[in-house]
Amino acid sequence: MTTKIRQQNGITILEPNGKIMGPTVSELRAVLSPQLEISEAPRVLINLENVNKIDSSGLGALMGVRAMTVRKKGRIGVVNVSKQIKNLIVLSRLVRAFEHYDTEAAAVSALSA
């Protein structure tokens, strides 16, 4: 898995690519943690467009990112969630943990406000 991070209108956009499973989860945390640490009230958007699989450790990593964001009084959203990943999030009862958006532009606009 590779992860790109970019900034747009003060929003940290995380773009993981591949599978968020097992050993790749620590890579995701290592890439994102410094970004969250430097912000007082982080606003994070996770674009899951290029993620084809996620397991329980991947969900745990996303919840860790959410916890750190909320603890710092920030906001976190997801966009481009595949049907398979959305089903896993619903079954795990984590669907309300993230703000869901239909497009990246809508997410950036909402999280920037």
Side-chain angles (χ1 to χ4, degrees):
M1 180 190 82
T2 59
T3 304
K4 290 193 291 185
I5 294 181
R6 59 187 169 88
Q7 299 285 326
Q8 183 176 339
N9 294 350
I11 309 298
T12 300
I13 301 174
L14 176 69
E15 296 177 323
N17 187 357
K19 298 175 183 175
I20 304 177
M21 301 174 66
T24 62
V25 171
S26 59
E27 176 190 327
L28 179 65
R29 285 186 186 121
V31 168
L32 191 56
S33 290
Q35 297 288 322
L36 294 174
E37 291 296 328
I38 62 173
S39 179
E40 287 183 27
R43 289 170 289 158
V44 178
L45 177 63
I46 303 171
N47 186 339
L48 296 171
E49 181 175 23
N50 297 314
V51 173
N52 51 23
K53 197 165 186 182
I54 190 169
D55 68 0
S56 59
S57 61
L59 283 178
L62 295 180
M63 290 307 295
V65 170
R66 180 193 177 277
M68 184 180 289
T69 301
V70 170
R71 186 171 42 249
K72 295 182 97 179
K73 300 190 183 353
R75 293 175 63 192
I76 187 166
V78 292
V79 67
N80 297 321
V81 181
S82 72
K83 186 175 182 176
Q84 178 187 14
I85 294 173
K86 188 169 192 165
N87 287 341
L88 179 62
I89 291 171
V90 169
L91 287 172
S92 303
R93 297 185 178 158
L94 301 175
V95 72
R96 292 189 182 113
F98 301 96
E99 298 177 42
H100 296 263
Y101 299 97
D102 293 327
T103 66
E104 187 173 300
V108 168
S109 176
L111 292 171
S112 295

